[in-house]
Amino acid sequence: MIQLYPERLRHKTDLGWLKSRPSFQFGEYVDPENSGFGVMRVCNDDFVAPGRGFGAHPHSDMEIVSIILKGQIRHEDSLGNVEIASAGEVQRITAGSGVVHAEYNPSESEELNLLQLWFMPRERGLTPSYETARYDQAKLRNALLPVAAAVPAEGVAKVEQDLTIYLSRLDAGRELAFRQEKGRRVFLFVIEGSLTANGLALGTRDEARIADEPELALAAGGEETFLMLIDLP
Amino acid sequence: MKETFIVKHAVGGKIFIDTGKRPVPYKLEEKADGGYRFTVTTPRGPEIEELLELARELNVFVFRDYSEENEPTIKTWFYVKDGPVAYDDGRQALTIDAESKIEYVPDRYLS
């Protein structure tokens, strides 16, 4: 079963300095019927104005993964980490028993765009930690590249949950196959371009929530397509 | 110094208790095991019911505002984990147990 969630129907938050498109209920967007997908609780497509961001605030018992698509993000936390991440990098916070952090767009001119994803962890009360992983953007070409996963590897952020986040850049018309294990879910998000998933058409920023589709055929449309696929319980 | 006690949903941000906007009597005690217990005297209502349903996803704060002393606000966040978070109908009291806390000064971030 593939459920399509088109971008045009997604809730839109506009605070001036922050434009956000939450996939699930978040902040002012309240929809108890759309509070998550498996262990996934948040997928915010955030656009942050230059010099603006989120002040110090806490998190606990959540795996927070930020995929920077454009611009830069400056992160600072109560663990002592201060770091700037850019496109091509993935930030991961294991909030566990508690971490305070602040994040903002340090640029004076360029907008920041990131996908911020929250997942419930494998267990509560984990020791908080933070990392940034830089993946090889050339390896996105016509392949599903893991950028965050339960098993650590070079260029892969370690997540304390049984999931894998893949990114891919498909050339126009190219196809990819993904085999989904029984009982698992797939969250599919088109970052740029268009594709079909088992024949269902998705445009830019559309998403699909997929279950019980053992074989998933992804085919890019008439342009290069940048996509995120998350395999999760 | 002005103290404010706040309980919010950690994911959505919905505010259940904010003594700065709607005062309710509350007490903070340090427990013998090193944890913390908040006791809030308040009638049981829809907000409390929802808070109890979301007991595993609460952000609990105490803000201490020192602006009259020209000092920065100090925020203390409490890690509730498994609580317990419970309501006693007889005493009309909500209790929230927390395991640990982090004290921070927001002004010292984004430096």
Side-chain angles (χ1 to χ4, degrees):
Chain A
M1 181 180 61
I2 303 179
Q3 283 185 286
L4 176 65
Y5 291 76
E7 187 275 342
R8 65 187 166 79
L9 298 181
R10 193 168 302 140
H11 179 82
K12 293 172 175 60
T13 298
D14 188 348
L15 303 177
W17 66 273
L18 171 67
K19 293 178 175 58
S20 186
R21 309 284 181 262
S23 294
F24 306 101
Q25 70 168 355
F26 191 86
E28 65 172 31
Y29 167 47
V30 177
D31 181 358
E33 300 300 309
N34 185 31
S35 61
F37 182 55
V39 298
M40 190 172 181
R41 297 292 301 276
V42 170
C43 175
N44 290 348
D45 187 7
D46 286 345
F47 295 81
V48 183
R52 300 298 300 270
F54 305 91
H57 60 280
H59 292 288
S60 61
D61 293 322
M62 207 60 80
E63 295 295 296
I64 300 172
V65 179
S66 296
I67 297 177
I68 296 95
L69 300 176
K70 181 177 163 235
Q72 293 185 318
I73 187 168
R74 185 180 187 278
H75 163 96
E76 185 174 345
D77 66 36
S78 54
L79 307 173
N81 300 295
V82 180
E83 199 165 67
I84 291 176
S86 310
E89 292 183 311
V90 173
Q91 276 189 340
R92 186 269 306 161
I93 299 171
T94 293
S97 59
V99 59
V100 171
H101 84 134
E103 54 196 342
Y104 79 108
N105 176 358
S107 171
E108 293 179 358
S109 56
E110 189 181 11
E111 187 178 55
L112 161 68
N113 177 211
L114 74 155
L115 293 173
Q116 189 164 91
L117 314 165
W118 296 14
F119 305 93
M120 292 157 66
R122 60 179 166 76
E123 65 179 277
R124 291 162 66 81
L126 294 167
T127 301
S129 63
Y130 167 86
E131 73 171 308
T132 300
R134 167 163 283 277
Y135 58 87
D136 183 347
Q137 297 191 60
K139 291 183 178 172
L140 299 180
R141 182 69 58 193
N142 299 318
L144 285 167
L145 180 71
V147 296
V151 179
E154 178 74 26
V156 179
K158 184 181 189 304
V159 183
E160 299 291 349
Q161 180 54 271
D162 177 21
L163 62 84
T164 305
I165 301 173
Y166 299 91
L167 295 176
S168 178
R169 279 192 184 275
L170 281 181
D171 292 338
R174 281 292 292 258
E175 292 189 19
L176 272 179
F178 182 77
R179 183 179 292 272
Q180 186 178 35
E181 288 178 33
K182 193 173 170 55
R184 304 277 296 179
R185 298 172 170 86
V186 166
F187 181 89
L188 180 64
F189 190 97
V190 179
I191 299 167
E192 295 166 9
S194 64
L195 57 76
T196 59
N198 285 0
L200 183 73
L202 286 85
T204 300
R205 253 58 184 194
D206 287 351
E207 69 179 62
R209 301 176 200 175
I210 303 165
D212 300 321
E213 296 278 341
E215 298 287 341
L216 191 59
L218 306 174
E223 67 278 80
E224 181 186 282
T225 296
F226 187 20
L227 66 97
M228 175 178 72
L229 184 151
I230 307 175
D231 170 34
L232 71 164
Chain B
M1 187 272 288
K2 184 182 159 198
E3 183 175 292
T4 307
F5 171 57
I6 293 172
V7 181
K8 300 166 73 169
H9 183 212
V11 180
K14 179 172 178 173
I15 297 172
F16 299 109
I17 296 171
D18 181 347
T19 60
K21 292 183 177 157
R22 196 177 57 172
V24 288
Y26 68 95
K27 185 172 68 175
L28 169 59
E29 301 164 283
E30 286 198 32
K31 293 162 56 186
D33 64 3
Y36 305 88
R37 172 168 293 171
F38 290 90
T39 305
V40 187
T41 307
T42 183
R44 187 170 199 143
E47 293 277 286
I48 297 299
E49 294 292 351
E50 192 175 353
L51 180 156
L52 292 168
E53 281 175 24
L54 296 170
R56 288 164 67 91
E57 295 182 350
L58 298 179
N59 269 339
V60 176
F61 296 94
V62 172
F63 293 176
R64 295 193 173 91
D65 178 356
Y66 294 96
S67 55
E68 288 186 1
E69 292 92 334
N70 286 322
E71 294 291 330
T73 295
I74 297 175
K75 296 187 177 183
T76 307
W77 171 81
F78 292 84
Y79 177 49
V80 174
K81 200 184 181 190
D82 300 322
V85 178
Y87 188 82
D88 182 329
D89 287 301
R91 293 190 300 135
Q92 292 216 314
L94 170 74
T95 55
I96 301 173
D97 284 10
E99 229 182 61
S100 57
K101 66 180 182 181
I102 299 175
E103 191 173 276
Y104 63 104
V105 178
D107 288 2
R108 292 188 188 146
Y109 282 80
L110 304 179
S111 51

